[in-house]
Amino acid sequence: MRPSIPARWYFDLVSPFAYLHLKRFGELHPALDVEPVPVLFAGLLKHWDNKGPAELAPKRLHTYRSCVWAAAQHGIPFRMPPRHPFNPLHAMRLLVALGSPRAAVDAAFDFVFGEGRDVAVEWPLLCERLGIAAAEAASLIADPAVKQRLIDNTAAAAAQGVFGVPTLALRGENFWGSDTIAWCNAFVDDPRLFASGEMQRVAEIGVGAARKEVR
């Protein structure tokens, strides 16, 4: 039997692409042993001084349409929540407090993007789906240790070069996006995928021009 390969899946509940990626985990290489790791997408954006796709009006609409299309192509139930982007902080802290088991992560994503529900307005129902009472959840997400763990997860991800969600990290490489499954699987089969030919060369290309700040 082939030994399992540990992989970390960095996600934020706010990302519809993370939902689409999660729903296709059955296509991932069977050798991968995937650990879900909650992070804050907003924290990654701040670290890299970047903007999310929903912060640019034309890109926001394009993103939503792209998700609807991709879901239909793969037969994935999909419905955007009534407000997006939304603040996922409490939900992410709750997943951290629960230990981020796959069943809870699945349930949370199904709630938001499978059913198109509002995390803030329907918070008690989300808690129920995760098998916990809203009052107990409130206590858990107020725990300073839980808050710090989510911060630490995000900082550790950024330190490893993670700039967005979803990202699957293994063998020191990051695969960002819901469309990288085949690429990731190829890397599992060929650990030297990036060490030769044009793959190696592109890692050595210099910057020819950099955008200047307009004053």
Side-chain angles (χ1 to χ4, degrees):
M1 176 179 287
R2 177 183 299 186
S4 62
I5 299 170
R8 292 166 69 84
W9 185 64
Y10 297 101
F11 73 93
D12 187 324
L13 194 60
V14 77
S15 170
F17 292 112
Y19 166 77
L20 295 174
H21 198 206
L22 181 64
K23 286 299 181 183
R24 296 180 60 197
F25 267 22
E27 300 174 37
L28 286 173
H29 200 291
L32 291 178
D33 181 14
V34 181
E35 174 194 0
V37 181
V39 297
L40 288 175
F41 183 38
L44 295 176
L45 293 176
K46 181 177 180 180
H47 177 87
W48 297 107
D49 191 23
N50 197 7
K51 287 186 176 182
E55 295 181 84
L56 304 174
K59 192 172 183 178
R60 179 173 181 263
L61 178 58
H62 177 84
T63 295
Y64 299 161
R65 287 173 171 170
S66 171
C67 289
V68 172
W69 172 259
Q73 295 303 298
H74 294 283
I76 299 171
F78 184 81
R79 182 176 177 82
M80 285 293 295
R83 299 180 297 167
H84 194 276
F86 57 86
N87 187 346
L89 183 60
H90 287 176
M92 295 303 290
R93 285 177 177 169
L94 182 54
L95 288 172
V96 167
L98 295 175
S100 308
R102 173 65 187 275
V105 174
D106 276 326
F109 271 110
D110 286 345
F111 185 85
V112 176
F113 294 110
E115 301 175 28
R117 294 186 176 276
D118 189 311
V119 167
V121 174
E122 301 184 274
W123 174 252
L125 181 56
L126 173 61
C127 292
E128 180 183 317
R129 294 288 181 84
L130 298 182
I132 189 170
E136 184 180 356
S139 177
L140 289 176
I141 65 176
D143 185 342
V146 169
K147 295 178 180 181
Q148 190 60 48
R149 201 175 312 142
L150 183 56
I151 293 171
D152 291 346
N153 283 355
T154 305
Q160 294 170 26
V162 175
F163 54 85
V165 289
T167 292
L168 192 61
L170 60 142
R171 289 176 173 161
E173 300 290 348
N174 298 323
F175 293 86
W176 166 65
S178 58
D179 57 349
T180 57
I181 291 176
W183 187 17
C184 176
N185 290 345
F187 177 63
V188 172
D189 285 328
D190 179 10
R192 292 189 53 79
L193 182 65
F194 299 126
S196 62
E198 188 68 4
M199 280 288 192
Q200 182 181 35
R201 178 178 171 274
V202 295
E204 302 166 353
I205 291 177
V207 176
R211 183 173 58 188
K212 295 180 180 180
E213 182 178 346
V214 178
R215 298 182 181 275

